[in-house]
Amino acid sequence: MNKPATFAEWAKLAERELRDVPLSDLERDYGGLSIKPAYFAEDLPPQTAGAMPGAEPFARGVRATMYANRPWTIRQYAGFSTARESNAFFRQGLANGQKGLSVAFDLATHRGYDSDHPRVAGDVGKAGVAIDTVEDIKLLFEGIPLDRMSVSMTMNGAVIPVMAMFVVAAEEQGVRQEQLEGTIQNDILKEFMVRNTYIYPPEPSMRIVGDVIAHTARRMPRFNSISISGYHMHEAGATAVQELAYTLADGREYVRAAMARGLDIDAFGPRLSFFFGIGMNFFLEAAKLRAARALWSEIMTGLGAKDPRSRMLRTHCQTSGVSLTEQDPYNNVVRTTLEALAAVLGGTQSLHTNSFDEAIALPTDLSARIARNTQLILQHESRVTDVVDPLGGSYYVEALTAELMEKARNLIDAVEAEGGMTQAVQAGFPKLAIETAAAIRQARIDRGEDVIVGVNRYRVEDAAPIDARAIDNARVREEQAHSIAQVRRGRDEARCQSMLSALREFAAMDEGNLLEAAIEAARARATLGEISRALEDVFGRYSAVTRVISGVYGASYSDDPQFAAIAGRINDFTSRHGRAPSILVAKMGQDGHDRGAKVIATAFADLGFAVHLSALFETAPEIAVKAQELGVDAVGISTLAAGHNTLVPELFTALRNSGLKDVTVIVGGVVPEQDHAFLRQCGVAEIFGPGTNVLEAAFSVLNQIEGRLSNR
């Protein structure tokens, strides 16, 4: 028989092998993409022929030689506790082969609070390094020459004080602004969509973005003024098409904001960079990066960019955190390796690999070394750097790239019809679309349609516990408060207040550059919280509206007997008590990652629970007041940033003070096994880690509620 040349001929030839799996069932929905079981020459898009690496539209890579000449930068994202401890961690990583620094700040810093602020008691030093003053930044980079080291900083809400302090710390190290090299994330639009570490409303936040771009274009030519992030959309549950479209639409909005300030697009365009998440769909993730480069070239050409470097999308990537599992966590080493390889084959410029224990706690020195060595092994042992764009010309990858581009263009056009990304974000439709996609994905996992090894199939029941890093939050907060007090005692108070007043005036008059004014305040030793508050006095502090989407789980489980059984029990409860069982799903502290909370709220609502969703960033007393006003049966606390050992005991105290000692308290999220006994001693009824089946969680919560009611 002749070699099959078309899909139809191949299907006929393969009929015997596939007789138990109809071809129609091999099609997979990849977030709106239809995947065929085989690809052929006729599937190649026309633009594939003659495409060269390093040539526009850059689908095959931004440099002609790519990794054959220079491999990607190993840039591990890290930071915890105090600046001194993070500095030691950074220096160890650099000594072991890391090539750049990527700084994680704690949530108090992200949200513009000093460590001694009463709202951040559980957050200081937990999910990143605490930064309050210039002295902290100087300690963070002690012994690290900032004129020779590329520094990436993940900061958005408090970008003005952090950048100001970074500039002043470098100057006091003897490094001019012009010598600084690195990236500031400065991507506020995605905060309003998914990550939620915003401070000010969207419009003044966009002004801040523009001021940072303008200042760096003038004074910091080697520094990337913005890293436009799809990573956090990916982690919140966005499909590949959503991540691609919304990220590039954000980028277009930032370019327009800078141009509105009179900046030439080619004066700042070459310093824009991107940041994508890389998940487990191997070829889809590689194709996503290829599609991103080609689409960005189109967008920047349409905006008038003449310099090819302005049309060139350069990106950092990070392996997925949401793909990591608490169950059988050593499987995460394999997951991270595959995701890292997908990023490399997609052509990333730099990469962070997650540690295998990050679904449990902050990474240990051992797990961080394994994560870093994963990249070193790929660079030095796998030989993937020998050939430029080894996936180029693949029937599947090229067709997938083209379809991603088509679907993303359509979604970008929908954003444009809304009036641009700022308007779309304010209307809330990108956020709603991502939350819906996340709920659909979780339902597929719970039903076993998407297999997660060690979670919903091939489970190990007696896995050995692993060591987890613990941060003494109270100690760190005490040290930071002492340091803040020292700085305040030693500064010229009149000069400091004068610089803060000038910053307020700049903000109120809508003129001048806010970053330049903040640099003067930082030189006068104003704290991060004081600089943020000066802007807040003018702009206000933004509070998002929370809502529960409905129907996703109900549709996914329409024919599922377990779903029907739980829903039936809830109906019986409602008939007996004259009301549905009620739960308040809450986030405490400054952790804005709300994917888990939203998924739980959606699923429980579809089952028949009366679900109330708290606002973000609530304190324990505020949650207790809400629980009392609503008269709920249970409070479900979502925790991802390690603040539970401080915040959960505070909640129990607040509930008792409100006369609610019988309310069931559930904790879900990233909770190390070593913390379970403490939380249960506090009174926590159930603890649900990453990967928990939502229906099983609902069954357990209902049992707890009914048990408590029967004992009253």
Side-chain angles (χ1 to χ4, degrees), residues 459-477:
R459 293 192 62 150
V460 176
E461 299 301 334
D462 56 350
I466 66 170
D467 292 333
R469 184 188 293 275
I471 301 297
D472 185 345
N473 166 245
R475 176 189 63 82
V476 175
R477 190 163 186 251

Side-chain angles (χ1 to χ4, degrees), residues 177-180 216-224 271:
Q177 290 188 52
E178 290 77 10
Q179 296 174 283
L180 291 170
T216 52
R218 274 196 305 270
R219 297 293 309 276
M220 303 168 70
R222 298 168 61 187
F223 203 87
N224 298 322
R271 303 312 303 176

Side-chain angles (χ1 to χ4, degrees), residues 64-80:
T65 55
M66 283 304 291
Y67 308 136
N69 180 50
R70 186 179 70 192
W72 67 93
T73 300
I74 300 173
R75 188 188 294 279
Q76 290 300 91
Y77 180 56
F80 59 90

